[in-house]
Amino acid sequence: MSKQINVGGVTLGGGAPVRVQSMTTTHTADVEATSAQIARLAEAGCEIVRVAVRDEADARAVRAVKDRTPLPVVADIHFSAKLAVLSVENGADKIRINPGNIGGEEKVTLVADCVRAHRVPVRVGANTGSIEREYFEKYGRSARALVESALHGVSLLERHGVERIAISVKASSVPLTVEAYRLLAARTEYPLHVGVTEAGTRESGIVKSSVGIGALLLDGIGDTIRVSLTDDPVEEVYAAKRILRACGLEKEFVDVISCPTCGRCEWESMRLAQEVERLTFGAKVRRKIAVMGCAVNGPGEAKDCDLGIAGGRENCVIFKKGEIVRSVPREDAEDVFLREVRACLEEG
Ligand code: SF4
């Protein structure tokens, strides 16, 4: 089991649930826009949010952003010890930095002293684009190079007594990412931030992230995940939650199962399946609801469901735990079933 760290009141690692992270796309100094986006992310189920700190205005804005959100805020900094310190002084709950590229020993000391004093954790993030020259020359663009580079960054902080650390070793290649995290997990007990970087636009990014993050989570690797998409970051949170659910790591949710339909389907089940999914996505109850294309196979295939519907030429049947409880004309089926779904969510 990994060590546990605390990120602004949210535990990471050490048996805590796998946490969902995302990153804002706004300029952090635009406090209104940043806070509004964080509110949407929190509403979708995000548990930790990262903001880009490019300059002093962004670093100082961390305080105002934090005042407007209940989520822990992570400051993402490249190359600058000064901005790292300023972000922590303005209330950042964690910083993401690469100690290998902030300007040498003196700068590392500055950051280390600051995070120790404020009890703020640091994520050391190595990406294929930021592998330390020494390891790149030795191991090329490889999993080994990513891991050695990240662990080197960790050792720079450890030398200064920093113990609250999380690590990431991301690549845009799924096999490389998975190989790197497996290597890393065997060599460290620090909590791991897992993700496939630059995964792409919504559809291909979700596939890459699901395969990469999913493979690792099923191996028991990963304490917090970030799905990286070229899209609204709220989509990252939805995707992350679906990955956790598919991996069996989130128990309190509504599992909507629906058949792919085939030539036996006599009604428009796809629209209803999407509506049920939308209606139930945020519900924190353990239910299984089925939307099936036909009554020939539907009730039988979904007999472990709390509630289900299967279409027919004239009537749809509604079933509970495999038993048909009512038959409704097709034109009323959607309304009746959605009422049943709401009632099912409210049952104790
Ligand atoms: S439930 Fe019916 S419509 Fe759906 S895939 Fe099975 S046989 Fe086809």
Side-chain angles (χ1 to χ4, degrees):
M1 193 183 287
S2 57
K3 291 181 186 177
Q4 191 166 81
I5 60 172
N6 188 312
V7 182
V10 172
T11 48
L12 214 64
V18 177
R19 307 297 185 183
V20 173
Q21 295 203 28
S22 185
M23 186 167 181
T24 52
T25 55
T26 53
H27 289 158
T28 305
D30 184 346
V31 173
E32 289 309 317
T34 303
S35 307
Q37 195 172 61
I38 293 175
R40 291 175 56 235
L41 291 169
E43 171 76 24
C46 183
E47 295 169 285
I48 298 171
V49 69
R50 185 156 47 114
V51 300
V53 171
R54 305 158 302 159
D55 53 26
E56 289 194 22
D58 284 344
R60 290 185 204 286
V62 168
R63 181 158 306 282
V65 168
K66 268 192 59 70
D67 285 346
R68 289 165 171 77
T69 173
L71 293 190
V73 175
V74 182
D76 186 281
I77 298 127
H78 287 281
F79 311 119
S80 171
K82 186 176 165 196
L83 292 180
V85 168
L86 198 56
S87 299
V88 173
E89 287 172 350
N90 278 281
D93 295 298
K94 181 177 165 204
I95 56 170
R96 188 269 187 182
I97 199 161
N98 186 347
N101 68 19
I102 57 169
E105 186 65 22
E106 203 180 311
K107 300 288 169 75
V108 174
T109 309
L110 202 67
V111 173
D113 288 350
C114 175
V115 295
R116 262 199 349 265
H118 288 82
R119 306 173 72 81
V120 163
V122 182
R123 167 158 69 98
V124 177
N127 286 4
T128 37
S130 66
I131 295 171
E132 297 275 334
R133 180 193 292 266
E134 178 191 344
Y135 301 110
F136 188 80
E137 283 171 1
K138 224 167 166 178
Y139 305 114
R141 201 179 165 86
S142 67
R144 179 83 192 267
L146 273 169
V147 170
E148 297 297 346
S149 192
L151 291 178
H152 172 70
V154 168
S155 72
L156 293 177
L157 292 173
E158 284 176 329
R159 239 188 270 160
H160 293 277
V162 177
E163 292 172 339
R164 298 174 186 86
I165 294 173
I167 316 178
S168 63
V169 281
K170 298 183 186 180
S172 56
S173 150
V174 174
L176 181 54
T177 301
V178 171
E179 188 188 351
Y181 274 102
R182 284 179 176 155
L183 270 178
L184 180 62
R187 292 192 45 194
T188 185
E189 291 183 340
Y190 288 118
L192 301 185
H193 166 118
V194 167
V196 177
T197 194
E198 295 132 19
T201 52
R202 190 186 309 185
E203 287 183 10
S204 58
I206 288 175
V207 171
K208 283 187 198 170
S209 299
S210 302
V211 173
I213 296 172
L216 291 164
L217 290 178
L218 290 172
D219 276 356
I221 297 171
D223 300 289
T224 177
I225 63 173
R226 193 251 169 133
V227 172
S228 145
L229 299 178
T230 313
D231 208 311
D232 183 338
V234 168
E235 297 299 332
E236 300 185 345
V237 177
Y238 289 146
K241 296 206 64 95
R242 288 190 169 103
I243 292 171
L244 292 181
R245 291 171 179 185
C247 290
L249 293 170
E250 195 177 312
K251 307 291 182 200
E252 303 286 295
F253 74 101
V254 179
D255 191 7
V256 178
I257 66 162
S258 57
C259 79
T261 80
C262 68
R264 292 181 194 84
C265 186
E266 303 271 9
W267 70 310
E268 184 47 68
S269 65
M270 196 185 298
R271 194 181 59 216
L272 181 60
Q274 286 167 350
E275 182 61 19
V276 172
E277 169 112 2
R278 195 196 57 73
L279 184 68
T280 60
F281 186 80
K284 295 217 178 302
V285 289
R286 199 170 181 161
R287 300 279 189 278
K288 201 165 175 186
I289 297 179
V291 179
M292 307 299 272
C294 79
V296 179
N297 290 333
E301 285 180 16
K303 60 173 168 286
D304 62 334
C305 291
D306 299 287
L307 176 68
I309 187 167
R313 190 165 297 168
E314 286 162 13
N315 290 310
C316 292
V317 291
I318 292 177
F319 49 90
K320 294 181 179 175
K321 302 280 185 196
E323 297 291 325
I324 293 176
V325 293
R326 64 195 287 194
S327 172
V328 281
R330 228 169 67 175
E331 59 273 21
D332 300 334
E334 278 195 28
D335 288 346
V336 172
F337 189 65
L338 291 174
R339 276 203 297 277
E340 290 275 3
V341 168
R342 288 188 193 94
C344 178
L345 297 185
E346 279 161 20
E347 279 165 16

PDB file of all heavy atoms in Angstrom, residues 152-187:
ATOM      1  N   HIS A 152      14.797  10.729  -9.518  1.00  0.00           N
ATOM      2  CA  HIS A 152      15.867  11.692  -9.266  1.00  0.00           C
ATOM      3  C   HIS A 152      15.272  12.977  -8.680  1.00  0.00           C
ATOM      4  O   HIS A 152      15.769  13.519  -7.695  1.00  0.00           O
ATOM      5  CB  HIS A 152      16.632  11.996 -10.555  1.00  0.00           C
ATOM      6  CG  HIS A 152      17.611  13.097 -10.421  1.00  0.00           C
ATOM      7  ND1 HIS A 152      18.762  12.984  -9.686  1.00  0.00           N
ATOM      8  CD2 HIS A 152      17.593  14.382 -10.895  1.00  0.00           C
ATOM      9  CE1 HIS A 152      19.422  14.130  -9.719  1.00  0.00           C
ATOM     10  NE2 HIS A 152      18.724  14.999 -10.443  1.00  0.00           N
ATOM     11  N   GLY A 153      14.176  13.431  -9.280  1.00  0.00           N
ATOM     12  CA  GLY A 153      13.493  14.630  -8.759  1.00  0.00           C
ATOM     13  C   GLY A 153      13.045  14.419  -7.317  1.00  0.00           C
ATOM     14  O   GLY A 153      13.183  15.309  -6.466  1.00  0.00           O
ATOM     15  N   VAL A 154      12.541  13.246  -7.041  1.00  0.00           N
ATOM     16  CA  VAL A 154      12.098  12.919  -5.679  1.00  0.00           C
ATOM     17  C   VAL A 154      13.286  12.977  -4.715  1.00  0.00           C
ATOM     18  O   VAL A 154      13.192  13.535  -3.621  1.00  0.00           O
ATOM     19  CB  VAL A 154      11.443  11.508  -5.660  1.00  0.00           C
ATOM     20  CG1 VAL A 154      11.251  11.012  -4.240  1.00  0.00           C
ATOM     21  CG2 VAL A 154      10.107  11.541  -6.405  1.00  0.00           C
ATOM     22  N   SER A 155      14.426  12.419  -5.154  1.00  0.00           N
ATOM     23  CA  SER A 155      15.591  12.375  -4.252  1.00  0.00           C
ATOM     24  C   SER A 155      16.094  13.778  -3.928  1.00  0.00           C
ATOM     25  O   SER A 155      16.577  14.043  -2.831  1.00  0.00           O
ATOM     26  CB  SER A 155      16.705  11.512  -4.848  1.00  0.00           C
ATOM     27  OG  SER A 155      17.303  12.199  -5.929  1.00  0.00           O
ATOM     28  N   LEU A 156      15.945  14.705  -4.891  1.00  0.00           N
ATOM     29  CA  LEU A 156      16.368  16.089  -4.627  1.00  0.00           C
ATOM     30  C   LEU A 156      15.551  16.683  -3.486  1.00  0.00           C
ATOM     31  O   LEU A 156      16.063  17.420  -2.643  1.00  0.00           O
ATOM     32  CB  LEU A 156      16.187  16.953  -5.888  1.00  0.00           C
ATOM     33  CG  LEU A 156      17.079  16.639  -7.088  1.00  0.00           C
ATOM     34  CD1 LEU A 156      16.723  17.534  -8.263  1.00  0.00           C
ATOM     35  CD2 LEU A 156      18.544  16.810  -6.710  1.00  0.00           C
ATOM     36  N   LEU A 157      14.255  16.355  -3.451  1.00  0.00           N
ATOM     37  CA  LEU A 157      13.394  16.873  -2.378  1.00  0.00           C
ATOM     38  C   LEU A 157      13.657  16.141  -1.066  1.00  0.00           C
ATOM     39  O   LEU A 157      13.715  16.751  -0.002  1.00  0.00           O
ATOM     40  CB  LEU A 157      11.921  16.721  -2.773  1.00  0.00           C
ATOM     41  CG  LEU A 157      11.435  17.586  -3.929  1.00  0.00           C
ATOM     42  CD1 LEU A 157      10.014  17.210  -4.322  1.00  0.00           C
ATOM     43  CD2 LEU A 157      11.483  19.072  -3.539  1.00  0.00           C
ATOM     44  N   GLU A 158      13.805  14.824  -1.166  1.00  0.00           N
ATOM     45  CA  GLU A 158      14.034  14.027   0.058  1.00  0.00           C
ATOM     46  C   GLU A 158      15.284  14.498   0.787  1.00  0.00           C
ATOM     47  O   GLU A 158      15.329  14.513   2.018  1.00  0.00           O
ATOM     48  CB  GLU A 158      14.194  12.550  -0.310  1.00  0.00           C
ATOM     49  CG  GLU A 158      12.874  11.870  -0.643  1.00  0.00           C
ATOM     50  CD  GLU A 158      13.066  10.435  -1.098  1.00  0.00           C
ATOM     51  OE1 GLU A 158      14.122  10.130  -1.707  1.00  0.00           O
ATOM     52  OE2 GLU A 158      12.172   9.616  -0.878  1.00  0.00           O
ATOM     53  N   ARG A 159      16.289  14.878   0.010  1.00  0.00           N
ATOM     54  CA  ARG A 159      17.537  15.355   0.606  1.00  0.00           C
ATOM     55  C   ARG A 159      17.294  16.548   1.526  1.00  0.00           C
ATOM     56  O   ARG A 159      18.060  16.839   2.426  1.00  0.00           O
ATOM     57  CB  ARG A 159      18.494  15.776  -0.509  1.00  0.00           C
ATOM     58  CG  ARG A 159      19.796  15.001  -0.493  1.00  0.00           C
ATOM     59  CD  ARG A 159      20.749  15.580  -1.472  1.00  0.00           C
ATOM     60  NE  ARG A 159      20.610  14.957  -2.780  1.00  0.00           N
ATOM     61  CZ  ARG A 159      21.029  15.503  -3.915  1.00  0.00           C
ATOM     62  NH1 ARG A 159      21.570  16.692  -3.934  1.00  0.00           N
ATOM     63  NH2 ARG A 159      20.906  14.860  -5.051  1.00  0.00           N
ATOM     64  N   HIS A 160      16.196  17.253   1.256  1.00  0.00           N
ATOM     65  CA  HIS A 160      15.861  18.423   2.074  1.00  0.00           C
ATOM     66  C   HIS A 160      14.714  18.128   3.032  1.00  0.00           C
ATOM     67  O   HIS A 160      14.042  19.038   3.502  1.00  0.00           O
ATOM     68  CB  HIS A 160      15.494  19.599   1.172  1.00  0.00           C
ATOM     69  CG  HIS A 160      16.649  20.094   0.374  1.00  0.00           C
ATOM     70  ND1 HIS A 160      17.586  20.969   0.877  1.00  0.00           N
ATOM     71  CD2 HIS A 160      17.048  19.799  -0.873  1.00  0.00           C
ATOM     72  CE1 HIS A 160      18.504  21.200  -0.039  1.00  0.00           C
ATOM     73  NE2 HIS A 160      18.192  20.503  -1.114  1.00  0.00           N
ATOM     74  N   GLY A 161      14.483  16.867   3.274  1.00  0.00           N
ATOM     75  CA  GLY A 161      13.499  16.490   4.298  1.00  0.00           C
ATOM     76  C   GLY A 161      12.045  16.549   3.854  1.00  0.00           C
ATOM     77  O   GLY A 161      11.138  16.488   4.685  1.00  0.00           O
ATOM     78  N   VAL A 162      11.789  16.697   2.552  1.00  0.00           N
ATOM     79  CA  VAL A 162      10.391  16.713   2.077  1.00  0.00           C
ATOM     80  C   VAL A 162       9.880  15.272   2.018  1.00  0.00           C
ATOM     81  O   VAL A 162      10.517  14.408   1.405  1.00  0.00           O
ATOM     82  CB  VAL A 162      10.283  17.378   0.681  1.00  0.00           C
ATOM     83  CG1 VAL A 162       8.845  17.311   0.168  1.00  0.00           C
ATOM     84  CG2 VAL A 162      10.759  18.821   0.746  1.00  0.00           C
ATOM     85  N   GLU A 163       8.764  15.032   2.675  1.00  0.00           N
ATOM     86  CA  GLU A 163       8.226  13.664   2.742  1.00  0.00           C
ATOM     87  C   GLU A 163       6.852  13.537   2.102  1.00  0.00           C
ATOM     88  O   GLU A 163       6.389  12.441   1.835  1.00  0.00           O
ATOM     89  CB  GLU A 163       8.100  13.220   4.205  1.00  0.00           C
ATOM     90  CG  GLU A 163       9.444  13.048   4.883  1.00  0.00           C
ATOM     91  CD  GLU A 163       9.289  12.798   6.363  1.00  0.00           C
ATOM     92  OE1 GLU A 163       8.227  13.145   6.928  1.00  0.00           O
ATOM     93  OE2 GLU A 163      10.245  12.260   6.953  1.00  0.00           O
ATOM     94  N   ARG A 164       6.198  14.682   1.923  1.00  0.00           N
ATOM     95  CA  ARG A 164       4.848  14.627   1.324  1.00  0.00           C
ATOM     96  C   ARG A 164       4.999  14.751  -0.184  1.00  0.00           C
ATOM     97  O   ARG A 164       5.100  15.865  -0.718  1.00  0.00           O
ATOM     98  CB  ARG A 164       3.988  15.763   1.877  1.00  0.00           C
ATOM     99  CG  ARG A 164       3.774  15.681   3.362  1.00  0.00           C
ATOM    100  CD  ARG A 164       3.046  16.894   3.893  1.00  0.00           C
ATOM    101  NE  ARG A 164       2.968  16.859   5.332  1.00  0.00           N
ATOM    102  CZ  ARG A 164       3.908  17.319   6.142  1.00  0.00           C
ATOM    103  NH1 ARG A 164       5.002  17.881   5.655  1.00  0.00           N
ATOM    104  NH2 ARG A 164       3.760  17.216   7.456  1.00  0.00           N
ATOM    105  N   ILE A 165       5.017  13.600  -0.834  1.00  0.00           N
ATOM    106  CA  ILE A 165       5.322  13.587  -2.268  1.00  0.00           C
ATOM    107  C   ILE A 165       4.358  12.663  -3.000  1.00  0.00           C
ATOM    108  O   ILE A 165       3.957  11.623  -2.468  1.00  0.00           O
ATOM    109  CB  ILE A 165       6.786  13.101  -2.489  1.00  0.00           C
ATOM    110  CG1 ILE A 165       7.783  14.115  -1.901  1.00  0.00           C
ATOM    111  CG2 ILE A 165       7.084  12.852  -3.965  1.00  0.00           C
ATOM    112  CD1 ILE A 165       9.239  13.646  -1.918  1.00  0.00           C
ATOM    113  N   ALA A 166       3.955  13.068  -4.198  1.00  0.00           N
ATOM    114  CA  ALA A 166       3.241  12.181  -5.121  1.00  0.00           C
ATOM    115  C   ALA A 166       4.057  12.192  -6.416  1.00  0.00           C
ATOM    116  O   ALA A 166       4.823  13.134  -6.666  1.00  0.00           O
ATOM    117  CB  ALA A 166       1.826  12.684  -5.379  1.00  0.00           C
ATOM    118  N   ILE A 167       3.917  11.156  -7.201  1.00  0.00           N
ATOM    119  CA  ILE A 167       4.747  11.063  -8.421  1.00  0.00           C
ATOM    120  C   ILE A 167       3.883  10.717  -9.633  1.00  0.00           C
ATOM    121  O   ILE A 167       2.910   9.970  -9.515  1.00  0.00           O
ATOM    122  CB  ILE A 167       5.838   9.969  -8.281  1.00  0.00           C
ATOM    123  CG1 ILE A 167       6.533  10.023  -6.913  1.00  0.00           C
ATOM    124  CG2 ILE A 167       6.866  10.086  -9.387  1.00  0.00           C
ATOM    125  CD1 ILE A 167       7.589   8.927  -6.716  1.00  0.00           C
ATOM    126  N   SER A 168       4.281  11.269 -10.778  1.00  0.00           N
ATOM    127  CA  SER A 168       3.656  10.840 -12.038  1.00  0.00           C
ATOM    128  C   SER A 168       4.731  10.631 -13.090  1.00  0.00           C
ATOM    129  O   SER A 168       5.783  11.286 -13.058  1.00  0.00           O
ATOM    130  CB  SER A 168       2.641  11.882 -12.513  1.00  0.00           C
ATOM    131  OG  SER A 168       3.295  13.100 -12.787  1.00  0.00           O
ATOM    132  N   VAL A 169       4.485   9.689 -13.995  1.00  0.00           N
ATOM    133  CA  VAL A 169       5.411   9.422 -15.109  1.00  0.00           C
ATOM    134  C   VAL A 169       4.578   9.210 -16.376  1.00  0.00           C
ATOM    135  O   VAL A 169       4.312   8.099 -16.777  1.00  0.00           O
ATOM    136  CB  VAL A 169       6.297   8.177 -14.851  1.00  0.00           C
ATOM    137  CG1 VAL A 169       7.452   8.497 -13.923  1.00  0.00           C
ATOM    138  CG2 VAL A 169       5.506   7.004 -14.294  1.00  0.00           C
ATOM    139  N   LYS A 170       4.170  10.316 -16.973  1.00  0.00           N
ATOM    140  CA  LYS A 170       3.202  10.201 -18.067  1.00  0.00           C
ATOM    141  C   LYS A 170       3.848  10.247 -19.451  1.00  0.00           C
ATOM    142  O   LYS A 170       4.829  10.950 -19.660  1.00  0.00           O
ATOM    143  CB  LYS A 170       2.189  11.343 -17.980  1.00  0.00           C
ATOM    144  CG  LYS A 170       1.374  11.343 -16.704  1.00  0.00           C
ATOM    145  CD  LYS A 170       0.357  12.458 -16.758  1.00  0.00           C
ATOM    146  CE  LYS A 170      -0.401  12.604 -15.465  1.00  0.00           C
ATOM    147  NZ  LYS A 170      -1.385  13.690 -15.513  1.00  0.00           N
ATOM    148  N   ALA A 171       3.218   9.514 -20.359  1.00  0.00           N
ATOM    149  CA  ALA A 171       3.588   9.589 -21.777  1.00  0.00           C
ATOM    150  C   ALA A 171       2.292   9.655 -22.572  1.00  0.00           C
ATOM    151  O   ALA A 171       1.223   9.325 -22.056  1.00  0.00           O
ATOM    152  CB  ALA A 171       4.393   8.363 -22.168  1.00  0.00           C
ATOM    153  N   SER A 172       2.390  10.061 -23.831  1.00  0.00           N
ATOM    154  CA  SER A 172       1.175  10.050 -24.655  1.00  0.00           C
ATOM    155  C   SER A 172       0.938   8.653 -25.234  1.00  0.00           C
ATOM    156  O   SER A 172      -0.134   8.363 -25.745  1.00  0.00           O
ATOM    157  CB  SER A 172       1.255  11.099 -25.760  1.00  0.00           C
ATOM    158  OG  SER A 172       2.411  10.879 -26.530  1.00  0.00           O
ATOM    159  N   SER A 173       1.959   7.811 -25.169  1.00  0.00           N
ATOM    160  CA  SER A 173       1.802   6.410 -25.608  1.00  0.00           C
ATOM    161  C   SER A 173       1.239   5.599 -24.444  1.00  0.00           C
ATOM    162  O   SER A 173       1.793   5.625 -23.332  1.00  0.00           O
ATOM    163  CB  SER A 173       3.164   5.862 -26.028  1.00  0.00           C
ATOM    164  OG  SER A 173       3.235   4.474 -25.788  1.00  0.00           O
ATOM    165  N   VAL A 174       0.174   4.870 -24.708  1.00  0.00           N
ATOM    166  CA  VAL A 174      -0.438   4.080 -23.630  1.00  0.00           C
ATOM    167  C   VAL A 174       0.500   2.969 -23.142  1.00  0.00           C
ATOM    168  O   VAL A 174       0.732   2.842 -21.936  1.00  0.00           O
ATOM    169  CB  VAL A 174      -1.807   3.513 -24.071  1.00  0.00           C
ATOM    170  CG1 VAL A 174      -2.370   2.577 -23.018  1.00  0.00           C
ATOM    171  CG2 VAL A 174      -2.781   4.659 -24.341  1.00  0.00           C
ATOM    172  N   PRO A 175       1.083   2.148 -24.060  1.00  0.00           N
ATOM    173  CA  PRO A 175       1.971   1.091 -23.550  1.00  0.00           C
ATOM    174  C   PRO A 175       3.148   1.642 -22.744  1.00  0.00           C
ATOM    175  O   PRO A 175       3.530   1.071 -21.719  1.00  0.00           O
ATOM    176  CB  PRO A 175       2.458   0.387 -24.826  1.00  0.00           C
ATOM    177  CG  PRO A 175       1.407   0.678 -25.847  1.00  0.00           C
ATOM    178  CD  PRO A 175       0.903   2.055 -25.515  1.00  0.00           C
ATOM    179  N   LEU A 176       3.707   2.773 -23.190  1.00  0.00           N
ATOM    180  CA  LEU A 176       4.849   3.355 -22.470  1.00  0.00           C
ATOM    181  C   LEU A 176       4.412   3.849 -21.084  1.00  0.00           C
ATOM    182  O   LEU A 176       5.104   3.652 -20.084  1.00  0.00           O
ATOM    183  CB  LEU A 176       5.452   4.498 -23.302  1.00  0.00           C
ATOM    184  CG  LEU A 176       6.664   5.216 -22.726  1.00  0.00           C
ATOM    185  CD1 LEU A 176       7.769   4.238 -22.374  1.00  0.00           C
ATOM    186  CD2 LEU A 176       7.192   6.253 -23.722  1.00  0.00           C
ATOM    187  N   THR A 177       3.247   4.478 -21.030  1.00  0.00           N
ATOM    188  CA  THR A 177       2.736   4.966 -19.746  1.00  0.00           C
ATOM    189  C   THR A 177       2.536   3.803 -18.778  1.00  0.00           C
ATOM    190  O   THR A 177       2.974   3.857 -17.620  1.00  0.00           O
ATOM    191  CB  THR A 177       1.376   5.689 -19.959  1.00  0.00           C
ATOM    192  OG1 THR A 177       1.570   6.777 -20.859  1.00  0.00           O
ATOM    193  CG2 THR A 177       0.808   6.203 -18.656  1.00  0.00           C
ATOM    194  N   VAL A 178       1.896   2.757 -19.253  1.00  0.00           N
ATOM    195  CA  VAL A 178       1.599   1.614 -18.374  1.00  0.00           C
ATOM    196  C   VAL A 178       2.902   0.965 -17.903  1.00  0.00           C
ATOM    197  O   VAL A 178       3.070   0.659 -16.717  1.00  0.00           O
ATOM    198  CB  VAL A 178       0.681   0.601 -19.103  1.00  0.00           C
ATOM    199  CG1 VAL A 178       0.545  -0.684 -18.304  1.00  0.00           C
ATOM    200  CG2 VAL A 178      -0.693   1.226 -19.343  1.00  0.00           C
ATOM    201  N   GLU A 179       3.848   0.808 -18.829  1.00  0.00           N
ATOM    202  CA  GLU A 179       5.124   0.189 -18.450  1.00  0.00           C
ATOM    203  C   GLU A 179       5.843   1.044 -17.396  1.00  0.00           C
ATOM    204  O   GLU A 179       6.372   0.524 -16.408  1.00  0.00           O
ATOM    205  CB  GLU A 179       6.008   0.036 -19.703  1.00  0.00           C
ATOM    206  CG  GLU A 179       7.267  -0.761 -19.449  1.00  0.00           C
ATOM    207  CD  GLU A 179       8.232  -0.738 -20.641  1.00  0.00           C
ATOM    208  OE1 GLU A 179       7.854  -0.238 -21.728  1.00  0.00           O
ATOM    209  OE2 GLU A 179       9.374  -1.213 -20.463  1.00  0.00           O
ATOM    210  N   ALA A 180       5.825   2.357 -17.597  1.00  0.00           N
ATOM    211  CA  ALA A 180       6.527   3.250 -16.666  1.00  0.00           C
ATOM    212  C   ALA A 180       5.904   3.190 -15.270  1.00  0.00           C
ATOM    213  O   ALA A 180       6.610   3.100 -14.263  1.00  0.00           O
ATOM    214  CB  ALA A 180       6.505   4.677 -17.211  1.00  0.00           C
ATOM    215  N   TYR A 181       4.578   3.239 -15.196  1.00  0.00           N
ATOM    216  CA  TYR A 181       3.935   3.214 -13.871  1.00  0.00           C
ATOM    217  C   TYR A 181       4.148   1.868 -13.175  1.00  0.00           C
ATOM    218  O   TYR A 181       4.292   1.806 -11.957  1.00  0.00           O
ATOM    219  CB  TYR A 181       2.443   3.518 -13.986  1.00  0.00           C
ATOM    220  CG  TYR A 181       2.153   4.996 -13.984  1.00  0.00           C
ATOM    221  CD1 TYR A 181       1.858   5.664 -15.167  1.00  0.00           C
ATOM    222  CD2 TYR A 181       2.175   5.731 -12.808  1.00  0.00           C
ATOM    223  CE1 TYR A 181       1.582   7.020 -15.178  1.00  0.00           C
ATOM    224  CE2 TYR A 181       1.904   7.091 -12.802  1.00  0.00           C
ATOM    225  CZ  TYR A 181       1.609   7.736 -13.991  1.00  0.00           C
ATOM    226  OH  TYR A 181       1.358   9.082 -13.987  1.00  0.00           O
ATOM    227  N   ARG A 182       4.165   0.783 -13.962  1.00  0.00           N
ATOM    228  CA  ARG A 182       4.411  -0.524 -13.328  1.00  0.00           C
ATOM    229  C   ARG A 182       5.817  -0.564 -12.738  1.00  0.00           C
ATOM    230  O   ARG A 182       6.009  -1.039 -11.619  1.00  0.00           O
ATOM    231  CB  ARG A 182       4.210  -1.648 -14.343  1.00  0.00           C
ATOM    232  CG  ARG A 182       2.737  -1.914 -14.603  1.00  0.00           C
ATOM    233  CD  ARG A 182       2.538  -3.006 -15.630  1.00  0.00           C
ATOM    234  NE  ARG A 182       1.121  -3.300 -15.795  1.00  0.00           N
ATOM    235  CZ  ARG A 182       0.589  -3.829 -16.884  1.00  0.00           C
ATOM    236  NH1 ARG A 182       1.354  -4.136 -17.919  1.00  0.00           N
ATOM    237  NH2 ARG A 182      -0.708  -4.078 -16.941  1.00  0.00           N
ATOM    238  N   LEU A 183       6.786  -0.036 -13.490  1.00  0.00           N
ATOM    239  CA  LEU A 183       8.157   0.021 -12.980  1.00  0.00           C
ATOM    240  C   LEU A 183       8.227   0.886 -11.727  1.00  0.00           C
ATOM    241  O   LEU A 183       8.847   0.527 -10.725  1.00  0.00           O
ATOM    242  CB  LEU A 183       9.070   0.659 -14.025  1.00  0.00           C
ATOM    243  CG  LEU A 183       9.769  -0.215 -15.051  1.00  0.00           C
ATOM    244  CD1 LEU A 183      10.573   0.685 -16.000  1.00  0.00           C
ATOM    245  CD2 LEU A 183      10.720  -1.178 -14.332  1.00  0.00           C
ATOM    246  N   LEU A 184       7.574   2.045 -11.824  1.00  0.00           N
ATOM    247  CA  LEU A 184       7.622   3.002 -10.718  1.00  0.00           C
ATOM    248  C   LEU A 184       6.977   2.430  -9.460  1.00  0.00           C
ATOM    249  O   LEU A 184       7.511   2.566  -8.353  1.00  0.00           O
ATOM    250  CB  LEU A 184       6.902   4.297 -11.144  1.00  0.00           C
ATOM    251  CG  LEU A 184       6.859   5.419 -10.120  1.00  0.00           C
ATOM    252  CD1 LEU A 184       8.254   5.917  -9.766  1.00  0.00           C
ATOM    253  CD2 LEU A 184       6.017   6.587 -10.645  1.00  0.00           C
ATOM    254  N   ALA A 185       5.827   1.780  -9.628  1.00  0.00           N
ATOM    255  CA  ALA A 185       5.108   1.243  -8.467  1.00  0.00           C
ATOM    256  C   ALA A 185       5.945   0.216  -7.718  1.00  0.00           C
ATOM    257  O   ALA A 185       5.819   0.073  -6.500  1.00  0.00           O
ATOM    258  CB  ALA A 185       3.787   0.616  -8.914  1.00  0.00           C
ATOM    259  N   ALA A 186       6.822  -0.475  -8.455  1.00  0.00           N
ATOM    260  CA  ALA A 186       7.669  -1.485  -7.808  1.00  0.00           C
ATOM    261  C   ALA A 186       8.815  -0.831  -7.040  1.00  0.00           C
ATOM    262  O   ALA A 186       9.481  -1.480  -6.248  1.00  0.00           O
ATOM    263  CB  ALA A 186       8.224  -2.436  -8.863  1.00  0.00           C
ATOM    264  N   ARG A 187       9.032   0.476  -7.285  1.00  0.00           N
ATOM    265  CA  ARG A 187      10.211   1.120  -6.681  1.00  0.00           C
ATOM    266  C   ARG A 187       9.896   2.217  -5.682  1.00  0.00           C
ATOM    267  O   ARG A 187      10.805   2.810  -5.115  1.00  0.00           O
ATOM    268  CB  ARG A 187      11.091   1.683  -7.800  1.00  0.00           C
ATOM    269  CG  ARG A 187      11.694   0.538  -8.605  1.00  0.00           C
ATOM    270  CD  ARG A 187      12.767   0.955  -9.528  1.00  0.00           C
ATOM    271  NE  ARG A 187      13.754   1.881  -8.988  1.00  0.00           N
ATOM    272  CZ  ARG A 187      14.605   2.538  -9.754  1.00  0.00           C
ATOM    273  NH1 ARG A 187      14.582   2.361 -11.059  1.00  0.00           N
ATOM    274  NH2 ARG A 187      15.480   3.360  -9.220  1.00  0.00           N
TER     275      ARG A 187
END
